[in-house]
Amino acid sequence: MSTQKTSAKYSKVTVQELEFIRSIVGPDRMSQGESILDLHSKDESFHLRKKPDLVVWPLSAEEISQILKLANERRIPVTPWGAGTSLEGNPIPVKGGIVLDLQQMNRILELRAGDLQVRVEAGVIYKELNQYLSRYGLFFPPDPGASATIGGMVGNNASGIRTIKYGATKDFVLSMVVVLPSGEVIRIGTNATKTSSGYDLCRLFVGSEGTLGVMTEVTLRLIGLPEEFMAAIAQFNLVREATDTVSQIMRSGLSPAALELLDAPTVQVVNQFKKLSLEEKPTLFIEFHGASAAGLKEELRLVEEICGENRCLRFDSGIGREERNRLWEARYGVRESIKVNNPGLHPLVIDTAVPISKYPDMVEWSQKIVEKKGLKGYAFGHAGSGNLHMEILGIPEEKTQWQKVREAEGEIVDFALECGGTATGEHGIGIGKKTFMKKEHGESLRLMEQIKELLDPKGIMNPGKMFE
Ligand SMILES: Cc1cc2nc3c(=O)[nH]c(=O)nc-3n(C[C@H](O)[C@H](O)[C@H](O)COP(=O)(O)OP(=O)(O)OC[C@H]3O[C@@H](n4cnc5c(N)ncnc54)[C@H](O)[C@@H]3O)c2cc1C
């Protein structure tokens, strides 16, 4: 954005605007209560809190359109809000203004089971959507773990443990309704599962983190629930042996539904937090989906063979949903376990993703950097997608120490970029990863800024995010 635009002042919400918004949504779906403003001043990251002037819970695209028209005219910042579970400060209203909390727009509008499609409002919680879909033998695979909304998942292009087989949120969005900053309501995309028609505007809005407009309705592609599950855990002496196994499984032609890594310190904190007794060694969590137990047994045999070639110490496996849940118990609650075991410390979350052949080097490099700087770090993540999460701990207020944490982050991201990877595989840019945008995108960053200027010339949508 041009310097002139970013330096121009934003307006605060005045009594006049409050009255106008009240005339649209009524008194019960807007609030300036301290606790409500406080709830909408933070996400799940360490980033500085900032309260909005006002929180509004709209119920329709029409209401949002009227509010955006007003905000655009008066240059009031507007930040869309899903469930606030982001990890990079993505929904924090850093310039104040209005937070549009979409959580009351939570209707499942239309299930077209025959087409494997569902049309939902943006505030639907994906876990609730999957509960509903399971009655029809269907599911929406991207799984960010937290209780996220579909709007927030589309906003961040979220993904998770099953992305390795099924894809990220971007692969499931067929069409959507978006309210632009001008108030114009547009429908983009198609319900056909393939199209060659024009620019792909859906992909433009996926991952736009509320900086281009507000999504009110999304049509998602669905997948049939798998008939059978196979799961395994494999433990190794060295993290390198575990990551080499990942890269070998991915090259072998096998198609795991999940392939996750926990390093030894992470297994240790999970053991403590959940009272488990896993060996405290680098561990892979593996899952396969298939039509029959017989087919899965053959895949299991091949996976065990590959693990053996990489000096696996312990291999435990099982077939069926219950076995899967037993084996995967230690993979859940990782962030909570780190937090509880390290009171007073805050995590800076690494989210680099690299081509799979570079993953072993990425993990090794990150661990070395953290150790060299005398910091504490826990490495885990969606290994099969080349996605590393490392939580590096520190206290943001302790300047010298936090500086080291940021330097470690910089060196880890630089390495990922040198490998042809990205600073963020799934958490988005928000506030935390803005500093890497120029390095990652080079000249094409200017094109992104021009797109932002075109759609949001007054810069009212979620200002202070994505671009420095
Ligand atoms: C314990 C934990 C584990 C996590 N694991 C993962 C993981 O494995 N993978 C992963 O991808 N993420 C993960 N996350 C991060 C987070 O849960 C996801 O990014 C999630 O998609 C955010 O959804 P939300 O509804 O909370 O959105 P919010 O945090 O409220 O918003 C996200 C962004 O989208 C914008 N937005 C929200 N709704 C709309 C809308 N209707 N229109 C336009 N813009 C909108 C917001 O302005 C913001 O920029 C994790 C978080 C936690 C706390």
Side-chain angles (χ1 to χ4, degrees):
M1 269 183 295
S2 72
T3 343
Q4 197 195 347
K5 269 170 195 147
T6 42
S7 58
K9 283 233 158 58
Y10 286 104
S11 308
K12 288 194 82 69
V13 178
T14 63
V15 175
Q16 208 186 352
E17 281 118 22
L18 280 177
E19 266 171 29
F20 179 77
I21 294 172
R22 194 172 294 118
S23 75
I24 300 167
V25 300
D28 297 337
R29 286 191 285 115
M30 57 191 278
S31 174
Q32 289 190 303
E34 275 309 305
S35 60
I36 294 292
L37 298 185
D38 191 50
L39 265 177
H40 293 83
S41 70
K42 56 177 193 266
D43 62 358
E44 295 285 337
S45 69
F46 63 88
H47 292 289
L48 271 188
R49 296 172 178 213
K50 170 74 188 172
K51 287 182 195 168
D53 302 338
L54 173 71
V55 178
V56 180
W57 291 268
L59 282 183
S60 67
E62 181 48 36
E63 287 181 359
I64 295 173
S65 163
Q66 291 186 56
I67 294 167
L68 285 188
K69 261 185 210 153
L70 170 82
N72 204 30
E73 208 173 279
R74 309 277 164 88
R75 199 156 191 256
I76 299 169
V78 176
T79 304
W81 187 276
T85 67
S86 287
L87 295 168
E88 290 296 348
N90 322 47
I92 299 179
V94 291
K95 304 279 180 195
I98 302 168
V99 160
L100 288 179
D101 183 331
L102 278 285
Q103 288 201 55
Q104 291 191 22
M105 289 184 68
N106 59 2
R107 288 177 304 162
I108 296 171
L109 296 169
E110 186 188 11
L111 172 67
R112 294 192 290 269
D115 290 331
L116 290 95
Q117 291 179 13
V118 69
R119 189 163 61 88
V120 298
E121 286 185 321
V124 166
I125 303 283
Y126 87 94
K127 285 184 181 175
E128 289 171 13
L129 175 63
N130 272 339
Q131 263 169 18
Y132 166 82
L133 292 173
S134 68
R135 288 186 243 147
Y136 303 89
L138 295 168
F139 82 123
F140 167 60
D143 175 3
S147 270
T149 61
I150 295 297
M153 288 180 69
V154 177
N156 285 350
N157 187 20
S159 51
I161 60 170
R162 306 242 160 68
T163 293
I164 181 181
K165 183 175 177 82
Y166 299 104
T169 303
K170 71 176 166 51
D171 302 307
F172 290 87
V173 175
L174 291 169
S175 62
M176 53 171 112
V177 175
V178 183
V179 188
L180 298 177
S182 61
E184 191 186 346
V185 182
I186 57 167
R187 188 172 285 278
I188 55 180
T190 167
N191 292 345
T193 51
K194 57 185 285 191
T195 170
S196 301
S197 178
Y199 299 133
D200 192 342
L201 294 182
C202 273
R203 295 302 163 282
L204 175 62
F205 280 89
V206 176
S208 62
E209 299 185 24
T211 62
L212 299 179
V214 183
M215 293 165 279
T216 58
E217 197 183 298
V218 186
T219 298
L220 298 166
R221 191 169 71 80
L222 304 171
I223 299 281
L225 273 173
E227 289 291 323
E228 201 50 274
F229 291 80
M230 182 282 275
I233 19 182
Q235 298 203 286
F236 302 81
N237 251 329
L238 305 174
V239 80
R240 183 88 204 185
E241 292 165 348
T243 51
D244 280 345
T245 304
V246 170
S247 140
Q248 203 176 327
I249 291 176
M250 295 313 293
R251 289 196 314 262
S252 67
L254 289 164
S255 174
L259 180 44
E260 301 278 304
L261 168 76
L262 262 58
D263 73 353
T266 310
V267 175
Q268 192 181 16
V269 289
V270 173
N271 263 349
Q272 275 181 34
F273 181 63
K274 295 190 139 183
K275 311 262 177 296
L276 300 175
S277 54
L278 220 53
E279 272 219 57
E280 290 168 1
K281 300 275 185 194
T283 303
L284 291 181
F285 294 77
I286 307 162
E287 181 176 324
F288 279 83
H289 295 167
S292 70
L296 288 176
K297 272 185 190 145
E298 179 52 18
E299 296 193 272
L300 181 62
R301 193 188 61 74
L302 289 170
V303 168
E304 191 168 3
E305 206 174 288
I306 295 173
C307 290
E309 284 168 24
N310 289 287
R311 293 171 292 284
C312 173
L313 297 172
R314 177 174 166 246
F315 189 86
D316 188 5
S317 64
I319 299 225
R321 206 180 271 267
E322 276 173 25
E323 273 297 276
R324 188 254 172 225
N325 292 345
R326 173 184 71 82
L327 288 159
W328 272 67
E329 171 66 17
R331 175 59 188 96
Y332 294 106
V334 166
R335 289 176 203 278
E336 188 73 7
S337 307
I338 297 172
K339 200 165 153 184
V340 169
N341 273 274
N342 294 280
L345 296 178
H346 292 268
L348 182 146
V349 186
I350 300 292
D351 181 33
T352 51
V354 290
I356 198 68
S357 68
K358 307 283 188 213
Y359 194 69
D361 292 343
M362 178 80 251
V363 176
E364 203 166 86
W365 173 265
S366 309
Q367 288 181 322
K368 267 193 199 142
I369 294 291
V370 166
E371 201 183 307
K372 190 179 81 187
K373 295 197 179 291
L375 297 165
K376 198 170 186 185
Y378 295 89
F380 57 96
H382 314 305
S385 308
N387 191 188
L388 170 69
H389 294 323
M390 180 176 242
E391 293 208 354
I392 311 177
L393 302 186
I395 301 171
E397 293 75 26
E398 287 188 12
K399 295 273 179 287
T400 324
Q401 183 208 44
W402 197 250
Q403 179 61 24
K404 274 194 196 170
V405 173
R406 302 291 328 215
E407 281 167 15
E409 180 195 29
E411 289 180 43
I412 292 169
V413 171
D414 281 352
F415 186 83
L417 298 182
E418 278 162 28
C419 293
T422 173
T424 170
E426 56 183 27
H427 298 160
I429 297 298
I431 303 166
K433 304 284 188 261
K434 281 195 297 187
T435 170
F436 305 115
M437 285 290 276
K438 179 75 188 162
K439 247 187 209 164
E440 180 162 348
H441 297 288
E443 291 313 306
S444 60
L445 180 61
R446 181 69 199 123
L447 184 57
M448 290 192 203
E449 288 169 342
Q450 284 168 341
I451 291 170
K452 167 74 176 171
E453 274 173 29
L454 178 72
L455 290 176
D456 183 21
K458 293 192 177 175
I460 62 161
M461 293 306 309
N462 202 2
K465 310 296 165 57
M466 194 95 73
F467 308 105
E468 286 282 18

